[in-house]
């Protein structure tokens, strides 16, 4: 199979490599000429046999929307665009509609795997029509992990990114769970060595998981996490998951707690707490710090 | 009525004054001789006619327990001890039992009012036997606000502090509510003047309250709260409310959120968030701050 | 002043009455002919002198948008439309733009006061250009409470509804605070009479407020709230406040807790908890209920 | 090695079997004579060579405390008691002190593994003196999983149960995370088959874990979980984790959210929500359900 791949950053670069190892012919394009196989989108499209399959792997939002719009002009009837980025599922509906006007198919694909994907494979959740997905299938097969799991045709257009979004929301809360437990063990000082307690949990426990393994790795590399600041970005999917919960009247208190903890971690001096301190001072004469 | 008052700090000093203004004879004792009327607990007890009523207004925990233990030796049959401090209600049961062994009555009294109490009166929630409470009633009448509300015989021993504890738990969540709203208005920058929005809420709205009035005072004194750090202590009752909820399988998510926000406000670099950042780095290669 | 008022339901009907008591000439229109002063929007517009001021008081969303669109055809240069409903602030920007195309001004106004507004006045938060607001000012003055507070020009278009939205978000969390405290007092059974404890809080406490007064009213009318189901709708502003928080990276944990409690209150059998029960059964053989 | 085992229920019975498979001589005692090897605690103690090692596997709280007290009379210098139940770590300190008075050693051991432990091994977290632990080591080696992880000497007495408590707190939040995601996917109806989405996550994703595997098992056995009620008990460790967090001023919002969701799942008509509904009715005339 031939496939075009747009965006050769941390994720895209490794995905190109994994597909090539599986025998696919990958034409990659990136704005950075050092990693690009061709010098333009047009050249990428030109290089592909029909039906052309083009996988977009650029940042969500404007960059993805702009790339899809360009492809709408370059591709034609029967071709397929895959958005493998972290787009919000609501963007998929607009992208699919734009392309459908030209007879171009659209598949959205949530991709999990991070820096481990090259070796272990990428978990894939995709949405779209069966015909379009059939054209992309060899790429999905090359990218997915080797075992029987790790990929799913989740539903119609949008279902892939929606599933990946929920995956990431769950991920936020699971990370928060381990992190809360870690802080409590460290603070209580009842255990001699918190890293060894975490390490022991890797087998036989109810909470064994890949994230736990990673947490132990992190603790081994940097005991006590002394080199890491308590500061965490959020990348969109956590927010969208909470918003989708609200839209559907589904309470997501653990996922939301994880999201809010990240917001607060980025504040030096939370305005909410300035207000609390000011009110306490008003009624109780409690000292405030300045 | 004659009454002994132990502890003449920010609260106790003003309570002595309010009772004196109401015509009570108050003998105050404090470790600080500059404010004390007598030079020992024994002298305080000596100065009172029987049945003696002694109001304890010292910090909760060991100081209150030690004071009650001393009074157990100094008082006798028919006398009454009132604990007006911020004791946990579970302490009341032990104190009452200790004193009952000598025929001394015990009343626990939660007191709200802070620095405004001298002028506006103190809200009082008390627990104990009706006979004991009758002996203290003139003091309650002197301390409470002038209107028809502001004091309650909440139940048997412990009910006063339990009610005050729940009052404070509610207070935590209400303050958090205004504080969250304030941060959101400030951050969104859609309104021209957040203080004026808050001020407008003081009449006609569903959320008008005394705490809102105080928040406006604080904003007037220090626009934007620029002189206040986002750092808030917690004083026990919030924690105990959440713990009482857990013991009774009563979910208190808003009160708990307020308590946890205070915990986090006191951390420079939350270990929980160090763990989150470390895990993100492990799977995604996301940069960490150090 | 003459003013047109569209929507004469629970809110609008009382607002017409309050404005009339203040001497304004109000032409009301409602789909229900029993309460309407005129039989069409066109007749309402016809009846007003220029510059015409029309206050829209219909349900948020499509009904409001449709009404504004109709008014765009009926009104002209220099006239002003006020949206006094519970619209999302983002709707205001579209409404204002549509009307601006015809030279018609737009003011958004959040209104608080509920069934008490007729007698006590309505708290008003409005956004828009000063010129437009000047034309509506007599209506604002008639509707607002009598004291010095209760109305504010919050900022440009959208600022009124945004302020009212945050007001309602705060309201959610304050109600949740009292409600959690009430459940805990009832469940713990340490106090003899929870209603009397709540009543006592009406004076001298830190948590005295209008909502507390209402809670006591409710408890007096229906002791133990035995006639009320534990079921609460949410009306939009709570959701929007949380979403605005997320958009601005402002954590609103207490407001969110209140919103989620409402979601869950409406579920007979929460799917989240079915999943918890199913997982517990898998690893621990814990019995599940069916 | 010879070991006495008290309590042969769901956990204890399987643990006896696993130790016997590993070649240990296990004398089991249970109040149920059908499963018991001996007819009294005294007979159990009698049957063991010195130093005697007795593993207690009975319900936490009074049953465990009573059993330890009996053993204090039956055992002597150099013997060791292991509490492998779900005791609160604070109980361990009292148990250890009681036994130390007779020269009997004490080890607390948190055990994870549930119904899967017989085949897969039990994860063990234990606390106590190295000398005492050395006497129990063959039992730990028999019970633990086969790999390099799954057991840890966590620290001094209490550290084992404290570690297990935190493990379970983390477990609560992780289960809540998957459960929230499941409800959202089911409710949003964007995906064709939620079970298949969950199944796909078992490989290559960031959230792969044993609990996820169990969730898929549960969904396979009962599609849509139609046979399971949304009702979840809590067994102590979740509550204690939150309380330990509060004691240490460590915020645990995700774990707490999971605990509170269980509380609420057991209420037909939450009093908190009755109060919310009653207040809404008071100010807005919103209908209440009865």
């Amino acid at each position: 199979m031939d496939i075009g791949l747009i965006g050769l950053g941390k994720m895209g670069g490794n995905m190109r490599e994994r597909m090539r190892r599986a025998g696919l012919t990958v034409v990659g394009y990136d704005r950075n000429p050092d990693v690009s196989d061709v010098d333009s989108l047009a050249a990428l499209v030109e290089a592909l046999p029909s039906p052309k399959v083009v996988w977009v792997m650029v940042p969500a939002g404007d960059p993805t929307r702009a790339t899809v719009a360009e492809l709408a002009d370059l591709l034609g009837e029967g071709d397929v665009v895959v958005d493998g980025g972290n787009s919000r599922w609501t963007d998929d509906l607009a992208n699919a509609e734009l392309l459908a006007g030209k007879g171009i198919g659209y598949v959205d694909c949530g991709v999990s795997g991070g820096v481990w994907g090259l070796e272990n494979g990428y978990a894939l959740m995709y949405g779209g029509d069966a015909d379009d997905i059939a054209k992309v299938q060899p790429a999905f097969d090359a990218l997915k992990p080797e075992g029987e799991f790790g990929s799913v045709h989740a539903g119609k257009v949008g279902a892939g990114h929606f599933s990946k979004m929920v995956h990431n929301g769950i991920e936020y809360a699971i990370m928060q769970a381990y992190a809360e437990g870690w802080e409590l063990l460290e603070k209580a000082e009842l255990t001699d060595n918190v890293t060894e307690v975490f390490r022991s949990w890797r087998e036989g426990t109810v909470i064994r998981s890949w994230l736990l393994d990673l947490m132990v790795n992190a603790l081994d590399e940097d005991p006590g996490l002394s080199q890491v600041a308590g500061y965490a970005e959020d990348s969109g999917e956590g927010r969208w998951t909470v918003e989708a919960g609200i839209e559907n009247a589904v309470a997501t208190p653990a996922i939301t707690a994880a999201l809010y903890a990240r917001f607060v971690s980025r504040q030096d001096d939370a305005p909410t707490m300035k207000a609390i301190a000011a009110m306490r001072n008003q009624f109780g004469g409690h000292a405030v710090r300045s």
Side-chain angles (χ1 to χ4, degrees), chain A:
Chain A
M1 182 203 186
D2 292 72
I3 188 167
L5 178 59
I6 303 169
L8 300 167
K10 201 159 54 177
M11 286 291 283
N14 281 342
M15 289 166 70
R16 173 172 63 177
E17 175 63 17
R18 186 167 171 95
M19 287 194 281
R20 283 179 175 164
R21 288 184 192 172
L24 275 71
T25 302
V26 186
V27 185
Y29 171 72
D30 195 278
R31 287 181 310 178
N32 174 3
D34 295 345
V35 298
S36 198
D37 300 322
V38 290
D39 58 10
S40 71
L41 268 196
L44 176 143
V45 168
E46 189 69 28
L48 297 170
S50 287
K52 300 169 192 283
V53 175
V54 181
W55 187 297
V56 180
M57 206 68 203
V58 303
D62 288 338
T64 292
R65 277 188 290 265
T67 305
V68 169
E70 272 192 82
L71 290 170
D73 289 336
L74 294 167
L75 296 172
E77 185 84 28
D79 295 338
V80 177
V81 171
V82 183
D83 176 9
N86 287 321
S87 299
R88 190 167 187 168
W89 68 277
T90 45
D91 283 355
D92 293 321
L93 309 184
N95 286 338
E97 198 180 344
L98 174 70
L99 295 169
K102 310 257 184 151
I104 308 167
Y106 180 82
V107 172
D108 62 291
C109 183
V111 178
S112 178
V115 295
W116 300 77
L118 175 57
E119 299 308 326
N120 298 354
Y122 298 89
L124 307 172
M125 294 140 256
Y126 37 87
D129 290 341
D131 285 356
D132 295 323
I133 282 169
K135 293 172 187 163
V136 193
Q137 196 66 49
F140 290 150
D141 293 343
L143 289 169
K144 77 177 282 294
E146 287 194 2
E148 71 181 297
F149 311 120
S151 75
V152 67
H153 180 185
K156 58 187 187 303
V157 166
H161 279 135
F162 192 86
S163 299
K164 176 57 164 46
M165 174 195 82
V166 175
H167 164 282
N168 281 37
I170 293 171
E171 174 192 311
Y172 274 54
I174 295 179
M175 290 168 72
Q176 179 74 18
Y178 289 118
E180 292 176 5
W182 185 71
E183 177 168 342
L184 180 51
L185 282 174
E186 284 288 354
K187 186 81 173 294
E189 295 190 344
L190 267 158
T191 51
D192 290 340
N193 188 322
V194 177
T195 297
E196 292 315 310
V197 173
F198 265 70
R199 192 190 314 284
S200 80
W201 290 343
R202 296 183 62 185
E203 269 181 273
T205 67
V206 176
I207 61 172
R208 59 192 190 261
S209 74
W210 190 61
L211 271 167
L212 175 65
D213 296 345
L214 294 185
M215 180 67 185
V216 175
N217 281 0
L219 291 168
D220 281 340
E221 288 172 20
D222 176 12
L225 304 181
S226 60
Q227 303 304 310
V228 185
Y231 179 103
E233 298 286 356
D234 72 287
S235 57
E237 281 103 343
R239 299 185 185 201
W240 303 335
T241 303
V242 174
E243 290 174 351
I246 290 172
E247 218 168 294
N248 287 284
V250 171
T252 57
I255 295 171
T256 306
L259 178 67
Y260 288 176
R262 293 191 182 190
F263 289 170
V264 173
S265 80
R266 304 198 298 256
Q267 295 180 309
D268 274 335
D269 206 24
T272 289
M273 303 319 294
K274 291 164 75 86
I276 299 287
M279 279 184 272
R280 292 186 82 224
N281 174 256
Q282 285 287 326
F283 68 73
H286 300 286
V288 297
R289 295 197 174 192
S290 59

